[in-house]
Amino acid sequence: MDIPIVENVLKLNDEVAAINRKTLKEAGVYTVDLIGSPGSGKTSLLEATFKAIGDKARIGVLVGDLTTARDATRISKWCPDVVQINTGKGCHLDANQVRQGLDRLKLDELDILVIGNVGNLICPVGFDLGQDSKVGLFSVAEGDDKPAKHPYIVMEAELLLLNKMDLLPHVTFDMDIFKEDISRINPTVQLMEVCATNGWINEWCDWLLAKVGK
Ligand code: ZN
């Protein structure tokens, strides 16, 4: 009987997530759980976001990875408030790992926290971390079928970003199919087209700044 065990794990996770949410709210930090496949451009998006937002808001980052600290090393060039969480064989972050990460950040000095989840569109969606919103990241290089094949992130996200728009002329990607699938699965989710490497991310930065009244 596996199901009760899974339910207990999620119940425990949800309890810790509620504590995280309270801690973050008390510190006045708006928290995004950024979920995307490996290679969708999560770290590039964060680098571009720091470049664009500058000192308009102070952003901290918790970044999950199986074994390396490469993402945190890249981000630390832009941001002093970055904590790497190595998940070992774990394919998602859980609320307890985030709890430990929060202890290493000066939350009172932050406006925004971005949790860069492990590159995976499936189980990260099921684990509440205490975030205010989930943001899903797709890229045109992955193909137009990803929303249909990974509906859970589409269902749960407040915002979806479609990255690598500069590659659109070079890849097989039907924008109509992509958008139709999204609106069928979640008619209210917002979709923004971005290109992190070209710095074409203003709409996303404005969305983020608006969340903290900046
Ligand atoms: Zn997982």
Side-chain angles (χ1 to χ4, degrees), residues 72-112:
T73 306
R74 274 171 68 185
I75 294 162
S76 65
K77 292 190 181 125
W78 300 96
C79 162
D81 310 290
V82 57
V83 175
Q84 176 83 41
I85 302 169
N86 284 126
T87 57
K89 288 180 179 164
C91 46
H92 58 268
L93 288 173
D94 63 36
N96 198 43
Q97 290 165 330
V98 169
R99 173 87 249 157
Q100 290 167 28
L102 294 181
D103 289 342
R104 293 163 59 193
L105 288 170
K106 296 186 191 99
L107 294 178
D108 287 333
E109 294 176 13
L110 299 180
D111 301 303
I112 296 164

Side-chain angles (χ1 to χ4, degrees), residues 21-35:
R21 188 166 281 114
K22 188 166 176 279
T23 304
L24 288 159
K25 194 171 190 272
E26 280 170 3
V29 178
Y30 186 84
T31 303
V32 169
D33 182 7
L34 180 63
I35 297 172

Side-chain angles (χ1 to χ4, degrees), residues 128-144:
D128 186 8
L129 305 179
Q131 75 287 334
D132 291 293
S133 57
K134 289 177 188 164
V135 173
L137 181 65
F138 295 111
S139 79
V140 298
E142 295 163 57
D144 50 46

Side-chain angles (χ1 to χ4, degrees), residues 90-93 120 122-124 127:
C91 46
H92 58 268
L93 288 173
N120 176 353
I122 306 169
C123 49
F127 283 79

